[in-house]
Amino acid sequence: MIQEYLIQEFWNNTIQDYLLALGFILLGVGIIKIFKKSMLQRLKKLTERTDNSLDDFLFDIIERYVLSAIYISIVFWGIRTLSLSLFLENSLSIAHSIILTYYGVKIIANLIIMLIRSYVKRQEGGEEKVKQIGGIILLVNVLIWAVGILFFFDNIGWDVTTIITGLGIGGIAVALAAQNILGDLFNYFVIFFDRPIEIGDFVVVDDKNGIVDKIGIKTTRIKTLSGEELVVANSDLTSSRIHNYKKMQRRRILFGVGVTYETPLKALKKIPELLKEIVENQSPVTFDRAHFKAFGGSSLDFEVVYYIEVADYNKYMDIQQQINFAIVEQFDAMGIDIAFPTRTLYVRNEPDHQFKIKNFVPNDNGTETGEVAE
């Protein structure tokens, strides 16, 4: 009775054929499951004890892609034991090739990207540089997928030579039509390997400044101090003069202060030493020099140079503010007036009279006022 039932035929296959195919699939899946629970679990425990990330990566690849490809292959081979129509057989073969190509591309792409990440991390400033390899990862994926697709077409019997020839001719046309895009792409590699800037750097490009937020294949995004995002083409960026303040270890500060011409000579001689003392009271600061620099148009000019041993701009402004407060306080205590723009004019109306206009000062409204003396 059972034998008669087993030899019943449906779609060119007996029930016994279907059961054998199902048994092959279940047996294969069961063997892989046993292997996964026994051998792979032991290997996983061993890899967790090591500091090397390569074995963890390989285990993850096996678990995510290799086993999945084996499961699908077992199902495919089990079905292939049946008598199928030519159309269905070809369809299954193509589907199997597509799936294996997908998993093969994912395995190779992940392996290459992992090696690139490991290589970049070993370089100086590797952790920061890893953030910049998004464009390289994209290109690697595109190239590997292109090769994988060509391999798939070749595997199903297509003539890939014609495809490659067509891509070569089309590539020339695309290259001619997209010269600017390719220029930005090559400049992306210049930025990546030469490292004039990195993500997180504070840069000044021409009259724009901000923090580098993202370095892409075509453009670089900069978050400006005012909050908006500045998008700069990589070609424009590499051809510009870039001030990168993240590399700065110390900041050189030069500032001036002017006093009135009525300041006594004795007080003038004390000012350089006073400025030195004010600067040296700040921290972390290294004093360089303070000099009576020049006779200005309306002031006696002093110049001060010092170094701040940190690159933080807010810290610099805090220190400079304290210096300015101290200068005003000390000058006031010594009776020294800080100069402002003035002019002295002599006007002769009559041979025996001369008028002198002192402190001729421009007002905000455009007029000028002065103090007249005969």
Side-chain angles (χ1 to χ4, degrees), residues 252 254 272 276 286-291 293 303-306:
R252 182 179 184 269
L254 183 149
K276 177 182 177 181
T286 302
F287 175 79
D288 185 15
R289 61 180 178 84
H291 292 98
K293 178 185 177 182
E303 186 176 80
V304 181
V305 177
Y306 68 93

Side-chain angles (χ1 to χ4, degrees), residues 128-288:
E128 289 295 327
K129 200 170 180 182
V130 166
K131 300 176 183 178
Q132 299 177 219
I133 65 174
I136 292 179
I137 290 174
L138 177 61
L139 290 175
V140 167
N141 279 315
V142 169
L143 291 174
I144 294 175
W145 274 105
V147 173
I149 292 171
L150 290 175
F151 174 80
F152 166 72
F153 285 147
D154 182 65
N155 193 45
I156 63 175
W158 286 25
D159 186 7
V160 297
T161 305
T162 305
I163 299 175
I164 295 173
T165 304
L167 289 175
I169 297 173
I172 295 174
V174 170
L176 292 174
Q179 294 182 41
N180 292 335
I181 297 176
L182 292 176
D184 290 328
L185 174 61
F186 288 128
N187 281 288
Y188 165 77
F189 287 106
V190 170
I191 293 172
F192 179 80
F193 290 106
D194 193 45
R195 298 172 60 192
I197 60 171
E198 295 177 351
I199 294 175
D201 290 1
F202 181 83
V203 297
V204 176
V205 183
D206 297 330
D207 60 337
K208 307 296 183 181
N209 57 56
I211 298 174
V212 179
D213 186 51
K214 179 182 178 182
I215 301 175
I217 293 178
K218 188 180 188 309
T219 61
T220 295
R221 314 293 175 91
I222 299 175
K223 184 72 71 175
T224 64
L225 295 180
S226 53
E228 72 272 14
E229 184 179 67
L230 176 67
V231 182
V232 185
N234 291 334
S235 298
D236 295 338
L237 195 63
T238 54
S239 62
S240 302
R241 291 176 175 85
I242 303 173
H243 300 265
N244 191 337
Y245 285 92
K246 187 177 181 180
K247 307 297 182 181
M248 184 171 59
Q249 301 299 318
R250 64 192 321 217
R251 188 184 293 268
R252 182 179 184 269
I253 308 301
L254 183 149
F255 74 95
V257 59
V259 299
T260 61
Y261 271 89
E262 287 79 5
T263 305
L265 176 62
K266 185 176 181 180
L268 287 176
K269 292 182 177 180
K270 293 181 180 179
I271 290 177
E273 190 64 30
L274 175 64
L275 293 173
K276 177 182 177 181
E277 181 181 346
I278 290 173
V279 171
E280 288 181 338
N281 285 337
Q282 309 302 317
S283 177
V285 165
T286 302
F287 175 79
D288 185 15

Side-chain angles (χ1 to χ4, degrees), residues 323-337:
I323 290 174
N324 292 339
F325 285 151
I327 289 174
V328 173
E329 182 181 1
Q330 293 295 327
F331 279 15
D332 185 62
M334 295 175 62
I336 299 173
D337 294 327

